[in-house]
């Protein structure tokens, strides 16, 4: 069960954020703020306390706070984001992490290792780590080394099509796994009860489980129905403006 979440308000500069889908247009900042408000309220409905950090105008992508830290029940790891324009975001996250974790339980990914939190999926005490354009093998190795100190384990997963591991995977606890794209046939995830997401709703692979409820992006009825069929209460949040920056529901918070 999660007790806390950390989020960061979107900056006005988000309209200049990194994107692989310029055809979707630039984000509407005022609408993004309203969607962020709704996101925070939905997290609270799941029974967590939400720490809201101020916007960082110097970093257009800084609302995607998941990428700059890994938070577990016992330790935190501040990452080294793979996109150089995001590296300074780790300075902004450090005080927030220090408010929740003792200094000896805070670790860092050091260069030449790179790691984005969007490439890290927690399944109990085991962590799957995507090797992507943002996360390299050295970064994954450092994370696994830190996790091992606390009796946790990890393994690297090669990506070929998606930006981040959690672009196409979401663990919903109870051995249930949302899976799309290249991971549907991956032998790595054979042991899970897979909920397969069709290509036309691929964005909705990025859902988040929070204390028994599952938050799903707005506009994906087949995904919503499939999750409800497994007995979960579904909460819907519109993330249209964050999708324009390759961002989804998990990207917008640290949950621990």
């Amino acid at each position: 069960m999660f007790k806390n979440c950390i989020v960061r308000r979107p900056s006005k500069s988000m309209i200049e954020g990194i994107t692989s889908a310029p055809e979707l247009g630039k984000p509407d900042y005022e609408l993004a703020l309203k969607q962020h408000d709704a996101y925070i309220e939905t997290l609270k409905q799941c029974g967590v306390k939400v720490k809201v950090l101020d916007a960082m105008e110097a970093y257009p992508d800084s609302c995607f706070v998941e990428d700059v830290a890994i938070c577990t029940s016992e330790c935190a790891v501040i990452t080294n984001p793979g996109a150089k324009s995001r590296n300074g975001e780790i300075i902004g996250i450090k005080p927030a992490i220090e408010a929740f974790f003792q200094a000896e339980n805070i670790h860092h990914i050091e260069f030449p290792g790179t790691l984005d939190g969007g490439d890290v999926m927690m399944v109990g005490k085991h962590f799957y780590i995507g090797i992507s354009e943002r996360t390299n093998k050295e970064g994954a190795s450092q994370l696994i080394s830190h996790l091992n100190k606390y009796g946790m384990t990890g393994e690297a997963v090669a990506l070929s099509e998606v930006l981040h591991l959690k672009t196409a995977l979401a663990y919903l606890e109870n051995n249930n796994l949302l899976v799309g794209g290249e991971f549907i046939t991956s032998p790595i995830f054979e042991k899970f009860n897979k909920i397969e997401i069709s290509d036309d709703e691929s964005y909705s692979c990025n859902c988040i489980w929070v204390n028994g409820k599952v938050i799903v992006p707005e506009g994906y009825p087949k995904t919503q129905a499939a999750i409800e069929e497994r007995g979960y209460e579904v909460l819907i949040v519109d993330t249209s403006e964050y999708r324009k920056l390759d961002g989804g529901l998990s990207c917008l918070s640290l949950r621990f």
Side-chain angles (χ1 to χ4, degrees), residues 118 121 162-170 177-184 197 202-203 205-206:
M121 183 175 74
V162 293
L163 174 66
H164 283 138
L165 185 77
K166 285 188 291 196
T167 302
L169 289 171
L177 183 71
L178 281 186
V179 57
E182 62 188 282
F183 298 125
I184 289 176
I197 304 302
S202 60
Y203 176 75
C205 280
N206 188 256

Side-chain angles (χ1 to χ4, degrees), residues 190-255:
E190 282 183 347
K191 69 179 182 180
F192 293 97
N193 303 320
K194 291 189 285 188
I195 304 171
E196 295 185 11
I197 304 302
S198 57
D199 286 345
D200 62 322
E201 292 199 0
S202 60
Y203 176 75
S204 65
C205 280
N206 188 256
C207 296
I208 49 176
W209 177 96
V210 185
N211 297 343
K213 299 176 172 61
V214 179
I215 305 177
V216 177
E218 183 176 275
Y220 301 92
K222 289 188 289 185
T223 300
Q224 179 180 347
I227 294 171
E228 289 174 337
E229 285 173 8
R230 298 295 176 108
Y232 294 102
E233 178 182 347
V234 168
L235 303 175
I236 302 295
V237 174
D238 189 357
T239 54
S240 65
E241 302 315 290
Y242 301 95
R243 185 182 183 186
K244 295 173 181 177
L245 300 178
D246 303 326
L249 285 163
S250 77
C251 313
L252 290 166
S253 62
L254 291 165
R255 302 163 300 281

Side-chain angles (χ1 to χ4, degrees), residues 18 67 80-83 86 114-116 119 130-136 163-164 246:
I18 302 168
D67 286 324
N80 184 25
R86 300 195 62 188
T114 63
L115 184 83
D116 273 19
D119 279 318
I131 305 302
S132 66
E133 291 185 3
R134 305 284 180 87
T135 297
N136 62 21
L163 174 66
H164 283 138
D246 303 326

